[in-house]
Amino acid sequence: DIQMTQSPSSLSASVGDGVTITCRASQSVSKSLNWYQQKPGKAPKLLIYAASSLQSGVPSRFSGSGSGTDFTLTISSLQPEDFATYYCQQSYSAPLTFGGGAKVEIK
Amino acid sequence: QVQLQQSGPGLVKTSQTLSLTCAISGDRVSSNSAAWSWIRQSPSRGLEWLGRTYYRSKWYEDYALSVKSRIAISPDTSKNQFSLQLNSVTPEDTAVYYCARYDWNYGWFDPWGQGTLVTVSS
């Protein structure tokens, strides 16, 4: 199985701050990497697919980059609605696996 | 747009069978571009993909090794839905269970069902 490791597992930031979350795969997944946002009591919501493509309707302050084993999700200027937990997911090979999550909290 | 609606009990006794159903609107369970998946989430295991069913001239299923011996995911074309059965459950199977559409072209899970908290208790 491909293991997905996210860092940090949690961070505190203020509205307006820029934030970067990293995701590392245990082997190359090419660009087959997606990012999701999850708020308490809700299902994950797709933000970024194929490492860097923004899902329709997602604000442009979200961006993704990377390929191979190392990926990043960047939020350029945090908004109040962005405080949530973020997960990466590889779609390179089954079993499809997720990272452990990165919780973005209000400072 | 595609929507998924989950149903099933929130409490299952130890050693019994967990059964959930996911009703699909806006797509077909026999779609050639989708796989219909179950994913669970717990504090100890995080987000864990359990398995999927999909149609490519015939029906296929594949499952996570961690549950392979006791899981079944099956389509119901007459009702346009799919189901999860997990046998011989233990408290370790307590989790929020989600159904989700996996897009073969893009490799993403979207949309997701609303989630069902299933508690396993004696």
Side-chain angles (χ1 to χ4, degrees), chain A residues 36-88:
Chain A
Y36 300 84
Q37 176 193 66
Q38 187 178 34
K39 296 182 178 179
K42 299 293 188 182
K45 171 191 169 186
L46 178 68
L47 296 177
I48 303 278
Y49 63 95
S52 59
S53 296
L54 201 64
Q55 173 68 334
S56 175
V58 174
S60 59
R61 62 181 179 273
F62 291 92
S63 63
S65 65
S67 66
T69 60
D70 294 308
F71 302 87
T72 59
L73 172 70
T74 299
I75 310 172
S76 60
S77 176
L78 270 174
Q79 298 302 299
E81 60 268 30
D82 301 337
F83 292 95
T85 302
Y86 294 85
Y87 294 92
C88 60

Side-chain angles (χ1 to χ4, degrees), chain A residues 1 34 36 38 41-46 49-50 55 87 89-91 94-99, chain B residues 37 39 41 46-49 52 62-65 98 102 106-110 112-115:
Chain A
D1 298 7
N34 306 314
Y36 300 84
Q38 187 178 34
K42 299 293 188 182
K45 171 191 169 186
L46 178 68
Y49 63 95
Q55 173 68 334
Y87 294 92
Q89 172 247 323
Q90 65 83 16
S91 58
L96 308 172
T97 48
F98 293 85
Chain B
S37 302
I39 297 162
Q41 184 174 32
L47 284 164
E48 179 185 20
W49 174 81
R52 61 190 174 188
D62 53 15
Y63 302 121
L65 281 178
Y98 293 100
Y102 177 78
Y106 294 101
W108 66 46
F109 291 107
D110 184 64
W112 297 57
Q114 79 274 24

Side-chain angles (χ1 to χ4, degrees), chain B residues 35-107:
Chain B
W36 304 96
S37 302
W38 288 97
I39 297 162
R40 67 183 178 184
Q41 184 174 32
S42 65
S44 58
R45 293 175 173 265
L47 284 164
E48 179 185 20
W49 174 81
L50 298 177
R52 61 190 174 188
T53 185
Y54 56 97
Y55 186 76
R56 298 289 182 276
S57 302
K58 68 174 186 175
W59 288 100
Y60 294 87
E61 291 80 38
D62 53 15
Y63 302 121
L65 281 178
S66 61
V67 294
K68 191 170 185 176
S69 63
R70 52 192 188 98
I71 190 174
I73 296 175
S74 56
D76 183 338
T77 55
S78 67
K79 296 181 179 180
N80 202 36
Q81 64 186 30
F82 63 108
S83 299
L84 166 69
Q85 287 203 317
L86 187 64
N87 303 321
S88 305
V89 295
T90 73
E92 293 282 302
D93 294 309
T94 294
V96 177
Y97 287 75
Y98 293 100
C99 61
R101 180 185 185 275
Y102 177 78
D103 189 290
W104 282 107
N105 295 321
Y106 294 101

